[in-house]
DNA sequence: AAAAAACTTGTAAACGATTACATTTGAATT
DNA sequence: AATTCAAATGTAATCGTTTACAAGTTTTTT
C-alpha cells in the first residue's frame, strides 16, 4: 500500500536499494530465505511490498537455464478425452510452479520435427506426450529433457503412465461371458496404435482362453471417434450372423455405435450388449447407461506430471513406468443375450 | 549434416564465428532477413545448419521484453466444452509462433490474485479468459497485456468473442413454439453468470412476445453440468403440471435431463421435447438425437486468438467485441406435444 | 564530380535475474 | 588470546539475445 505509482515495473535493483542491501541478498531472500538473516529477510520483504516488485521470469529462466514450464503434446486437443487428463496435469504442475504449455500435434504437418524443435529449443523443462507414434528413438537428441508418455507408450526407454489395457479388455470380455454371451465382437482403435493393439489382443486372448472363436467379421476397425462407432454400427447391421455383444475400444465409439443402432431401430441392450472403455463422463447419462472399463484419466494426468517433475529434480532422463489399475463399471448396456 | 557432435548447444556467437560475421548480423539474418545482403544471409544459414544452432527463447524474450506465449484461463479444464475452443486457439497461435499456456482457475483458491499475478509477472503477452467472473475492473493494473474474453464477457472495456446468446434462446423457443408447444420450461446455467442470464432473458422475452406465460416452477436452476440436468429431471418428474418442452442452457444439462427422464421411463420426445445449447459433439449420437443451438466453439477459439494477437501487434489494450452467429440444429428431440 | 541517400555491417550496451567467490563479522574452540 | 568456523552479505561475471548507434560502402541525385 506504499505510495507512488510505478512508472516501470520494479526490478531487483530497486528492491535492493529500498531495502539497503545488495541484489544478491534480495535474490537470496526471495528464492532461498534460509541463507539470509531474519531481519534482512523482513527488510527485503517490506521493500518488495513497497515497490510492487514481481520477478521477471524471462531473466530468471535465462540465468537458470530452465523454462519453468512443462509441455503437453496432445494428438488432438479437440478430443474431450484429454481434458480430464490435462486437468490432472495442471493440478500438480501449477502448485509446483510450473506452467503448462499445450500443443496440438495434429494440426501440424510434421509433428516429428516439431517435437524435435521443442526439445532442442529448450522451451520446456519436461514433456508429456499422449501420442505413442510421436517419439522415435533416432529422432531424440542424445541430450533431452525428461519425457514421459501418458496413456500410450513406446518400445524404448521413455517411461509412461498408463492403465493395463489388456487387463481391461479381459475384464470386459469376461463380464460379457459371465452374462451368457458367446458371440462377441469388437470395435478396435486405429490399427498400429499401441492402445488399440493391446485392447484387441487382450480381447482375443481372453476369447481363446474361454474357448470362444475370434471371428474376423466381428472385428470392426475404428479410430476411437464416435463417427467410427457409427460406421461400425452400419457394418453390424449388414451382418447376417451378428454377435450378441460388442466390446468397444473407446466410449466414444460405443456411443456412436449405440446411437446409430438405436436410430436404426435396434434395441440396446436387448438386441446387442455393449461395453465401452474409458468411462467418459457422458456415458452414465446415455440410455442405456453404458457399462464400461474405467480409466482414471485425472489420475493419469497427475501421475504423469509428478513423474516428469521427479525426473527433472533427479536430473534423469528415464525412470520406471507406472501402470494404473482399471475397473469395470457395471451399468445397463449389458444383459443376457436373447436365446 | 555437418560433422561434429555439439558438446553444448551452439549460440549465436558460434554461428557468427563460423559465418565470419558479427552476432548482430546473425541476429538480423535470422529475424529480419531483409536487412542483410543475400550472400551474407546464405552464409549465416549455412553456419546455422552446420552448428545446429537453435535460438534460446529465454534470452530472446528477456531482451525483447515479451514472453512469446498466450495464456488461456479456463474455469474448469476438465470440462470438455473447452477442448474445441482450445483447439481453435491453438490452431491460430501455433503458426504465429506463440505458445499456448493453460491454467485452470478452479483449482485455485484465489483466482483473482492469480490472474493479477499472471498479468504482473509478464508470463504472457496476451490473455484469453473464459470466465466472466474472473476479471474485476479494479483488479486490473493500469498497464496490462491485451485480454480478451471468450464466450463470456464483462461490463467494462475488455473485448470479447461470443455468440448472441439471447438470440440463440429466442430461436430455440420459437422453434418449440412453431412445433406447437405452449408450455415451455427452462434449465438455467449458474445464476449470475452472464451467459446463463442472457439465455434466460432471451427465453423470457421470447415467451412474452409470443404471449406465453413464464412460469416460475418451470425454470430449473442448473450449473451447465450433466448432473444438474439430472437434478432438473427429478424436479420435472415431481411436477403436477408439467411443461411439454424444456429448453436447456447447455447440451450437457440436456443430456443429463434426457438421460434421467429416460431412466425413469419417460419417453423423449413424445412426453417432453428438449432443446439444448452448444451442439457438443456427443448430442448427435444420443437417442433421440438432440435438437440444439450451435455455438461454433472452434471458431470462437480461433477468433479470440486472432483478436488477442492483433491487439498485441497494435499495442492496444482494447478493441471491439465480436459476435458470432448461432444456428438451430434440428434433430429428433422436438416433436409436437401430445394433445 | 560532389552531395545525399540507401545499404550493410559491426560495436557494445542493454534485458533482469542468479551465483561463484570474496569479504566481513561474530561466535566457538583450543 | 589466537585460531577456526560458520553465517551473512557484497562484488561482479554470466546467461544468449537484440538493437541503438556508428561507420563503412554503394548507389542515386543534382
Amino acid at each position: 500500500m506504499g505510495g507512488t505509482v510505478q512508472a516501470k515495473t520494479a526490478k531487483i535493483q530497486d528492491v535492493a536499494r529500498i531495502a539497503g542491501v545488495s541484489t544478491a541478498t534480495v535474490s537470496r531472500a526471495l528464492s532461498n530465505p534460509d541463507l539470509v538473516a531474519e531481519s534482512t529477510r523482513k527488510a527485503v520483504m517490506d521493500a518488495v511490498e513497497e515497490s510492487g516488485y514481481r520477478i521477471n521470469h524471462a531473466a530468471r529462466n535465462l540465468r537458470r537455464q530452465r523454462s519453468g514450464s512443462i509441455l503437453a503434446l496432445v494428438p488432438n486437443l479437440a478430443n474431450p478425452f484429454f481434458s480430464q487428463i490435462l486437468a490432472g496435469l495442471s493440478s500438480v504442475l501449477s502448485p509446483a510452479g510450473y506452467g503448462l504449455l499445450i500443443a496440438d500435434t495434429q494440426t501440424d504437418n510434421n509433428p516429428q520435427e516439431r517435437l524435435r524443435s521443442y526439445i532442442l529449443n529448450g522451451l520446456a523443462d519436461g514433456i508429456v506426450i499422449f501420442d505413442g507414434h510421436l517419439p522415435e528413438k533416432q529422432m531424440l537428441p542424445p541430450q533431452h529433457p525428461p519425457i514421459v508418455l501418458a496413456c500410450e507408450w513406446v518400445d524404448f526407454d521413455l517411461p509412461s503412465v498408463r492403465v493395463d489395457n489388456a487387463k481391461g479388455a479381459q475384464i470386459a470380455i469376461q463380464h460379457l461371458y459371465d452374462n451368457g454371451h458367446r458371440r462377441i465382437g469388437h470395435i478396435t482403435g486405429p490399427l498400429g496404435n499401441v492402445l488399440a493393439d493391446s485392447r484387441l489382443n487382450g480381447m482375443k486372448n481372453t476369447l481363446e482362453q474361454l474357448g470362444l472363436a475370434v471371428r474376423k467379421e466381428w472385428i470392426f476397425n475404428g479410430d476411437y471417434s464416435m463417427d467410427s462407432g457409427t460406421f461400425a454400427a452400419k457394418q453390424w447391421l449388414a451382418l447376417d450372423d451378428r454377435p450378441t455383444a460388442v466390446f468397444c475400444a473407446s466410449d466414444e465409439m460405443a456411443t456412436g455405435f449405440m446411437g446409430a443402432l438405436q436410430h436404426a431401430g435396434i434395441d440396446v441392450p436387448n438386441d446387442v450388449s455393449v461395453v465401452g472403455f474409458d468411462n467418459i463422463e457422458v456415458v452414465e447419462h446415455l440410455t442405456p447407461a453404458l457399462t464400461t472399463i474405467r480409466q482414471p484419466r485425472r489420475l493419469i494426468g497427475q501421475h504423469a506430471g509428478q513423474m516428469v517433475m521427479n525426473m527433472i529434480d533427479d536430473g534423469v532422463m528415464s525412470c520406471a513406468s507406472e501402470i494404473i489399475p482399471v475397473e469395470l463399471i457395471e451399468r445397463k448396456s449389458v444383459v443376457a443375450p436373447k436365446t
Side-chain angles (χ1 to χ4, degrees), chain A:
Chain A
M1 303 290 127
T4 55
V5 182
Q6 279 72 42
K8 292 281 163 188
T9 71
K11 47 187 82 167
I12 209 168
Q13 285 265 17
D14 303 313
V15 178
R17 185 166 26 74
I18 296 174
V21 296
S22 72
T23 61
T25 300
V26 175
S27 175
R28 282 189 282 250
L30 260 27
S31 50
N32 229 332
D34 295 342
L35 290 181
V36 306
E38 169 69 26
S39 58
T40 313
R41 195 185 323 157
K42 173 100 172 46
V44 169
M45 291 315 181
D46 288 350
V48 166
E49 178 81 5
E50 181 181 339
S51 60
Y53 170 77
R54 294 281 168 155
I55 196 168
N56 178 317
H57 282 83
R60 161 183 282 185
N61 291 340
L62 171 58
R63 176 60 221 230
R64 285 202 178 156
Q65 305 271 62
R66 319 179 336 146
S67 74
S69 38
I70 304 287
L71 173 68
L73 255 22
V74 184
N76 176 12
L77 200 40
N79 184 340
F81 175 78
F82 296 110
S83 42
Q84 282 272 357
I85 304 184
L86 291 177
L89 245 183
S90 170
S91 75
V92 303
L93 258 31
S94 207
Y98 282 104
L100 174 58
L101 218 40
I102 296 194
D104 192 322
T105 55
Q106 192 160 73
T107 56
D108 220 328
N109 43 8
N110 190 351
Q112 300 275 350
E113 181 48 33
R114 182 115 174 266
L115 169 61
R116 207 177 140 76
S117 105
Y118 270 122
I119 294 175
L120 262 19
N121 280 355
L123 274 175
D125 297 334
I127 303 180
V128 179
I129 300 180
F130 292 91
D131 177 355
H133 282 301
L134 196 51
E136 291 180 0
K137 199 172 171 62
Q138 71 276 14
M139 284 298 272
L140 291 182
Q143 207 62 22
H144 64 77
I147 298 178
V148 342
L149 278 286
C151 298
E152 309 205 343
W153 62 94
V154 295
D155 56 5
F156 49 99
D157 51 4
L158 262 24
S160 69
V161 177
R162 59 188 201 253
V163 297
D164 189 338
N165 292 280
K167 179 76 173 295
Q170 185 221 307
I171 294 173
I173 300 301
Q174 184 71 51
H175 179 66
L176 255 11
Y177 185 89
D178 293 346
N179 274 268
H181 290 276
R182 298 296 179 267
R183 306 156 58 78
I184 302 176
H186 180 50
I187 312 180
T188 71
L191 293 169
N193 174 270
V194 284
L195 274 173
D197 289 352
S198 46
R199 290 175 194 173
L200 175 59
N201 288 332
M203 181 235 181
K204 283 184 176 170
N205 291 339
T206 310
L207 247 34
E208 273 165 23
Q209 274 169 29
L210 294 170
L212 300 180
V214 177
R215 293 193 29 187
K216 218 172 161 187
E217 67 275 24
W218 290 351
I219 309 279
F220 311 106
N221 288 326
D223 60 8
Y224 296 135
S225 74
M226 295 194 232
D227 285 344
S228 70
T230 303
F231 186 70
K234 294 204 178 100
Q235 297 176 271
W236 185 91
L237 287 165
L239 247 32
D240 287 328
D241 190 24
R242 296 165 172 168
T244 61
V246 173
F247 164 51
C248 308
S250 81
D251 279 356
E252 311 228 350
M253 293 194 294
T255 303
F257 184 68
M258 288 199 332
L261 253 31
Q262 291 173 329
H263 297 169
I266 302 293
D267 179 351
V268 181
N270 293 315
D271 292 339
V272 58
S273 290
V274 178
V275 177
F277 206 114
D278 289 343
N279 193 36
I280 62 177
E281 240 198 323
V282 75
V283 299
E284 144 183 21
H285 300 277
L286 298 179
T287 305
L290 183 69
T291 291
T292 193
I293 303 295
R294 186 170 96 94
Q295 182 166 198
R297 303 199 301 293
R298 187 176 197 97
L299 202 67
I300 291 177
Q302 290 173 330
H303 284 215
Q306 203 57 63
M307 184 179 277
V308 77
M309 289 193 297
N310 289 344
M311 287 166 73
I312 292 171
D313 292 344
D314 299 350
V316 299
M317 279 162 54
S318 190
C319 73
S321 288
E322 193 179 334
I323 308 288
I324 292 178
V326 291
E327 179 190 3
L328 176 74
I329 309 284
E330 276 195 65
R331 288 196 272 246
K332 307 285 187 184
S333 64
V334 174
V335 296
K338 289 188 293 194
T339 43

